[in-house]
Amino acid sequence: MAKKLLEGASKEDQTWLAEVTYRFAFDAVYRPLPPDANAARSRLESGNRAFAELLDRITSSPPAKLNIAVDPHDVGLLPGRSAAPKQQPFAAIVGCADARVPVELIFSEGPNDLFVVRVAGNGMGDDVTASLSYAVDHLKDSLRTIVILGHSGCGAVSAAVDVYLKPAKYMQIMTQKDLRQILDSILIVIQLGATWLERVYGTEVVRRPGYRTTLIEVAIALNAALTGYGIRSRLNLAVRGEIEVVYGVYLLEERLVWSPRGENPDWFHLSAAPRDPDDFVILCDLLVSCPRVMDLLDTTPKPVRH
């Protein structure tokens, strides 16, 4: 159970509740494994909306509720005996290590549903690739999709943007090999984002007050998309065909997963990772011209559109 104490409310008014219930019952009706990658993506998107809507209704009475049925077999609960459950996730998630992004919860999933790999900046290091290779090779009976999940305000990307904007800061991390490796892998994505922002808005875009925030958010989306492209290529998934790679950015403020999709005005979705350079160019053009980015550059205080 999560309790929301609203700022400015009196102690007597601080009674709004939201309940998340994981129900373990042998007589429950459980969701079957998604039959394909599209069904897996739809299930994740629907689960994310359910989570976001739960917290949107947190001030209602009676308490807003989200019920997640869990097969007791998935946690080793069998009548009369105990046994290790068979691992059968339908999606692998590469997410950032940020503690504000509880992956199973934001997709309304339970144990044994998601194969989660988390690393700062959700990049494609050798450990990440090896973990996904294991999932693809050994969990192929259940695995339908791989998701690269960035999040707004990512600390790793923000730090890399600050180094990009003020190169002298790189001196502060020269002796920190592990941190330097993370930032180095992100800097090329930041350069791509900066280049496209200048192409669309001109070289003076760097002087706009919202430029740093905008570059961070553009780089977060590009980093997730390019990681998805790299994962598909390194694991040879284009040839296998049955596992799709998608990406999105979890917006901490909205509690929804977002990605730029030109064919759909509602951008709270997961999108297919680019398959080739042409796809990536289309993504860059769409991303830097989308309403969210334009609003981030705009200094006029108003709600961000999507």
Side-chain angles (χ1 to χ4, degrees), residues 1-6 11-21 51 53-66:
M1 180 184 296
K3 186 172 182 179
K4 177 72 172 181
L5 302 181
L6 301 181
K11 186 174 182 180
E12 292 76 15
D13 291 335
Q14 294 176 352
T15 57
W16 290 282
L17 301 176
E19 297 179 355
V20 178
T21 302
F51 170 71
E53 290 170 2
L54 169 77
L55 298 186
D56 287 342
R57 302 194 312 272
I58 204 166
T59 59
S60 64
S61 180
K65 296 183 179 182
L66 175 63

Side-chain angles (χ1 to χ4, degrees), residues 93-103 106 116-123 128 147-158 182 186 220 223-224 227 248-250 252:
I93 314 289
V94 178
C96 182
D98 195 294
R100 297 169 295 177
V101 189
V103 176
I106 68 173
V116 181
V117 182
R118 301 183 66 164
V119 62
N122 48 273
V128 171
V147 181
I148 313 302
L149 185 66
H151 69 90
S152 62
C154 177
V157 176
S158 299
I182 294 174
I186 300 173
I220 289 168
N223 184 49
T227 298
V249 176
Y250 178 68
L252 297 173

Side-chain angles (χ1 to χ4, degrees), residues 95-160:
C96 182
D98 195 294
R100 297 169 295 177
V101 189
V103 176
E104 282 87 356
L105 182 59
I106 68 173
F107 287 116
S108 303
E109 296 293 345
N112 212 5
D113 291 326
L114 306 178
F115 182 91
V116 181
V117 182
R118 301 183 66 164
V119 62
N122 48 273
M124 192 180 65
D126 290 341
D127 289 346
V128 171
T129 305
S131 296
L132 293 178
S133 180
Y134 170 85
V136 170
D137 290 339
H138 296 275
L139 306 175
K140 55 187 175 183
D141 289 342
S142 63
L143 194 66
R144 304 289 185 262
T145 189
I146 295 175
V147 181
I148 313 302
L149 185 66
H151 69 90
S152 62
C154 177
V157 176
S158 299

Side-chain angles (χ1 to χ4, degrees), residues 6-293:
L6 301 181
E7 291 186 11
S10 65
K11 186 174 182 180
E12 292 76 15
D13 291 335
Q14 294 176 352
T15 57
W16 290 282
L17 301 176
E19 297 179 355
V20 178
T21 302
Y22 287 87
R23 184 172 183 267
F24 297 79
F26 289 98
D27 61 347
V29 177
Y30 305 104
R31 292 175 290 182
L33 286 171
D36 54 37
N38 286 333
R41 176 164 66 176
S42 294
R43 174 166 160 175
L44 291 169
E45 291 171 345
S46 297
N48 177 233
R49 288 178 181 273
F51 170 71
E53 290 170 2
L54 169 77
L55 298 186
D56 287 342
R57 302 194 312 272
I58 204 166
T59 59
S60 64
S61 180
K65 296 183 179 182
L66 175 63
N67 296 309
I68 301 173
V70 178
D71 186 339
H73 297 78
D74 283 338
V75 290
L77 292 175
L78 296 175
R81 65 188 182 90
S82 178
K86 177 183 177 181
Q87 188 172 193
Q88 50 182 9
F90 72 90
I93 314 289
V94 178
C96 182
D98 195 294
R100 297 169 295 177
V101 189
V103 176
E104 282 87 356
L105 182 59
I106 68 173
F107 287 116
S108 303
E109 296 293 345
N112 212 5
D113 291 326
L114 306 178
F115 182 91
V116 181
V117 182
R118 301 183 66 164
V119 62
N122 48 273
M124 192 180 65
D126 290 341
D127 289 346
V128 171
T129 305
S131 296
L132 293 178
S133 180
Y134 170 85
V136 170
D137 290 339
H138 296 275
L139 306 175
K140 55 187 175 183
D141 289 342
S142 63
L143 194 66
R144 304 289 185 262
T145 189
I146 295 175
V147 181
I148 313 302
L149 185 66
H151 69 90
S152 62
C154 177
V157 176
S158 299
V161 165
D162 288 339
V163 167
Y164 174 79
L165 295 176
K166 296 182 179 180
K169 288 190 174 184
Y170 196 81
M171 301 298 293
Q172 300 173 8
I173 64 170
M174 281 296 295
T175 60
Q176 303 177 50
K177 180 180 178 181
D178 294 339
L179 177 59
R180 194 176 73 245
Q181 287 179 336
I182 294 174
L183 298 191
D184 286 349
S185 66
I186 300 173
L187 281 170
I188 184 61
V189 177
I190 294 169
Q191 177 65 67
L192 289 168
T195 298
W196 244 270
L197 285 170
E198 289 188 16
R199 286 184 180 183
V200 173
Y201 299 101
T203 57
E204 290 300 305
V205 69
V206 299
R207 302 184 183 279
R208 296 175 70 164
Y211 178 71
R212 175 183 176 273
T213 299
T214 303
L215 182 55
I216 289 172
E217 298 306 308
V218 166
I220 289 168
L222 291 180
N223 184 49
L226 279 180
T227 298
Y229 170 79
I231 289 296
R232 182 190 285 119
S233 299
R234 289 187 65 173
L235 299 184
N236 205 26
L237 295 179
V239 174
R240 302 189 187 203
E242 69 275 9
I243 297 177
E244 178 59 289
V245 182
V246 298
Y247 77 97
V249 176
Y250 178 68
L251 303 183
L252 297 173
E253 304 85 357
E254 304 280 353
R255 299 171 298 280
L256 285 164
V257 175
W258 175 92
S259 63
R261 291 173 63 178
E263 75 278 9
N264 193 323
D266 181 0
W267 286 3
F268 291 120
H269 291 279
L270 294 163
S271 293
R275 295 180 176 274
D276 52 46
D278 289 339
D279 268 2
F280 181 69
V281 170
I282 292 172
L283 167 62
C284 288
D285 287 338
L286 179 61
L287 176 61
V288 301
S289 302
C290 74
R292 174 174 169 77
V293 167

